[in-house]
Amino acid sequence: MTTAPRKLAIEGRRNAERDRITDMVAHMDRNRAYRAAVTAAGGDADGAILRQFRERFQWYRKAWHAQPRQAVENGLTGAAFAATDAPPLCIDIEVAAVCDLACSFCYRQSLATPDKVIDDTLCFRLIDQAVELGVPSIKFNWRGEPLLNPRLPEYVAYAKDHGILDTMINTNATQLDTDMGRRLIEAGLDLIIYSFDGGTAATYEHMRPGRFAENRFDDVYGNISGFAELRQFLGAVFPRTKIQMILTEDSFEEQWEFFNLFDDCVDDVTVKQYSERGAGLSDLDAASQVALSAALEDLALPPDTPYMRNMNGEMFVATDRLPCEQPFQRLLVTYDGRVAMCCYDWGAQHPIGYVDSAAIETGEHAYADVVDKSTRGAKGFERMGRVAMPARYNKPASEVMALRELWYGTEIDRVRSCHITDGGRELEICRGCQFKEIHQWDLVGS
């Protein structure tokens, strides 16, 4: 199978990926993992270790798309994939499943997600396994707000000191005060991705209300701009910062304000395509909806055909499905050790295995507790009246396995085979996926 070019779901005024690679390579001597390697080696007089680190980072970023493409085009599954010795390029560790916001567009409003943080022992064990597996990057979050786990900087520092090249988090920045900011910088965190929706206070506060207390635009903007000042004050290069806004009907017309808000205090300012997560929000205004309906009728396409409108207002419709790259790129681990193969499987509804017994023995009870609290309208759950238990579309063996066993195992191999064969249409969790990058797009009116 030959893979068609993909349209990326994240856009900006600059090439954020290129700038990130350039910046990371140029300042690799400031990377905490490199410094730890130099200390262990007793020096780097000829710069050989520095060259190795720079080359590895460039390989890892190139492999992000090249590794899935090679596997798909050559039909690499099972032993053939294992023979390539291709590691996961990222392990996402959910250090906190809890979140302090109640965003209307978030899957948490309809799919039960426990208010839990990861056990220290599990987190450190996962880092050790990632190092042993040759994983270049770890993202210390998935479904929740990572700054709600006060141990986060310790996890980052441990990963860096054990050779993880690239560490990152997504955060809503509500908890990014000066103390936490300083701890993250000192820990060696490489990238912070802020989620901030709206170019004005009114839109931001409408889209990102607090769960337990009021969430204010001025406070969060102050945290983000304050972190930029702190990084400059400390003379730190890392973490690099990126911010992204989801394009909805409310936020689309505020892109100019959004870019102007953050151009001078965040390294990369980007916008991201909205994907439906159970809230039923629209990302199109009335006029765009009329234009889309007319285009679908002209093309004899059904009304539910996936569509996408880029940051410039160009409209695209899906004409084919592409194999998803994620099963060839990464693994995601919930706070209790359930392992997923895709960041869009929000409920880990198609688990490929377990790395801790907690997910096997008690995991479902925590989800049921959320359903009960939302039904009763308990504090922090008032906005979640439609929360449901996640369905389970796959039942792997109830045994604890290592990341290496799962990455080269039969459960994820079946997922990869399905995507290579028909773009994942055989899999229940993939069939209705809203991820924009799994489609081939044609420009309307071209």
Side-chain angles (χ1 to χ4, degrees):
M1 174 183 285
T2 300
T3 54
R6 296 177 189 270
K7 290 192 69 64
L8 301 182
I10 299 176
E11 304 172 280
R13 291 177 176 174
R14 300 188 300 271
N15 187 324
E17 174 67 3
R18 180 197 61 207
D19 291 351
R20 179 187 174 202
I21 294 172
T22 299
D23 191 49
M24 288 289 286
V25 169
H27 297 103
M28 189 59 70
D29 60 326
R30 307 281 290 276
N31 188 303
R32 180 163 171 159
Y34 164 72
R35 293 186 171 187
V38 171
T39 299
D44 188 24
D46 63 355
I49 299 176
L50 183 59
R51 288 193 295 274
Q52 180 186 37
F53 268 71
R54 285 172 168 163
E55 290 169 2
R56 187 163 183 250
F57 186 84
Q58 291 172 311
W59 162 81
Y60 141 64
R61 293 316 304 163
K62 181 178 180 180
W64 192 252
H65 295 296
Q67 183 164 296
R69 182 170 61 249
Q70 179 188 15
V72 170
E73 292 183 352
N74 293 285
L76 300 179
T77 60
F81 181 82
T84 68
D85 203 30
L89 299 171
C90 185
I91 301 294
D92 296 51
I93 301 175
E94 186 178 65
V95 299
V98 61
C99 187
D100 55 347
L101 298 185
C103 306
S104 60
F105 53 83
C106 183
Y107 71 91
R108 301 175 68 95
Q109 305 305 100
S110 57
L111 197 64
T113 310
D115 287 340
K116 300 286 187 177
V117 298
I118 198 168
D119 177 78
D120 283 350
T121 301
L122 173 57
C123 191
F124 289 123
R125 176 155 45 92
L126 289 170
I127 296 170
D128 288 339
Q129 290 184 15
V131 171
E132 186 272 333
L133 191 48
V135 175
S137 70
I138 293 179
K139 189 162 176 279
F140 285 98
N141 71 279
W142 180 16
R143 300 174 296 180
E145 171 48 51
L147 299 188
L148 292 176
N149 187 327
R151 299 294 300 277
L152 172 64
E154 296 170 54
Y155 303 150
V156 173
Y158 184 86
K160 297 302 296 183
D161 289 344
H162 286 75
I164 296 297
L165 185 60
D166 193 20
T167 56
M168 64 200 87
I169 59 169
N170 277 87
T171 177
N172 60 34
T174 61
Q175 307 299 313
L176 189 60
D177 58 20
T178 301
D179 178 64
M180 176 57 77
R182 183 183 295 270
R183 291 174 64 203
L184 290 173
I185 290 171
E186 292 173 350
L189 185 67
D190 298 288
L191 176 65
I192 292 180
I193 304 171
Y194 300 119
S195 296
F196 190 102
D197 296 297
T200 64
T203 297
Y204 172 82
E205 292 176 1
H206 169 69
M207 293 186 68
R208 290 189 161 265
R211 277 185 66 191
F212 308 106
E214 183 181 7
N215 182 39
R216 298 194 303 171
F217 171 95
D218 289 341
D219 293 339
V220 179
Y221 179 79
N223 287 348
I224 294 171
S225 58
F227 183 81
E229 294 169 1
L230 175 65
R231 193 180 67 172
Q232 183 177 26
F233 174 77
L234 295 176
V237 174
F238 301 120
R240 185 173 177 85
T241 55
K242 173 182 175 179
I243 196 164
Q244 55 194 33
M245 174 177 74
I246 294 175
L247 293 177
T248 65
E249 182 179 1
D250 291 328
S251 65
F252 188 85
E253 297 300 330
E254 294 186 1
Q255 293 181 72
W256 185 85
E257 291 91 342
F258 177 70
F259 279 95
N260 281 350
L261 270 174
F262 295 106
D263 262 341
D264 63 347
C265 64
V266 178
D267 296 314
D268 294 315
V269 185
T270 59
V271 294
K272 183 177 183 180
Q273 293 292 329
Y274 171 73
S275 58
E276 176 56 42
R277 301 177 184 180
L281 299 183
S282 174
D283 57 345
L284 300 180
D285 56 82
S288 297
Q289 290 181 29
V290 170
L292 173 63
S293 296
L296 293 175
E297 185 175 348
D298 289 344
L299 295 169
L301 294 172
D304 60 351
T305 298
Y307 65 88
M308 177 171 68
R309 178 177 62 169
N310 68 15
M311 63 183 292
N312 298 317
E314 294 175 312
M315 191 79 71
F316 300 82
V317 293
T319 56
D320 200 0
R321 186 165 177 135
L322 303 174
C324 183
E325 295 178 311
Q326 291 206 27
F328 304 92
Q329 292 170 328
R330 68 206 299 187
L331 292 175
L332 301 97
V333 186
T334 63
Y335 74 93
D336 60 351
R338 194 186 308 262
V339 182
M341 70 325 182
C342 171
C343 71
Y344 272 69
D345 180 7
W346 300 112
Q349 295 174 288
H350 189 108
I352 60 163
Y354 308 95
V355 290
D356 195 84
S357 59
I360 301 171
E361 297 167 0
T362 63
E364 297 303 317
H365 297 298
Y367 289 83
D369 183 56
V370 173
V371 174
D372 174 65
K373 288 179 178 177
S374 67
T375 301
R376 293 188 287 106
K379 176 68 173 176
F381 294 84
E382 300 93 336
R383 300 173 181 268
M384 301 181 185
R386 297 182 292 113
V387 165
M389 285 287 289
R392 298 298 175 206
Y393 299 124
N394 191 45
K395 293 183 178 180
S398 296
E399 60 180 310
V400 175
M401 303 175 74
L403 291 174
R404 175 179 291 277
E405 295 174 281
L406 295 172
W407 178 248
Y408 296 116
T410 57
E411 293 292 347
I412 195 170
D413 188 57
R414 185 167 68 88
V415 173
R416 292 176 183 139
S417 297
C418 288
H419 277 275
I420 289 173
T421 302
D422 73 347
R425 291 182 180 89
E426 289 182 31
L427 301 172
E428 181 70 23
I429 191 63
C430 299
R431 193 174 301 133
C433 181
Q434 298 292 314
F435 189 34
K436 301 297 186 183
E437 294 181 15
I438 62 169
H439 296 289
Q440 183 172 319
W441 300 100
D442 276 7
L443 177 65
V444 172
S446 62

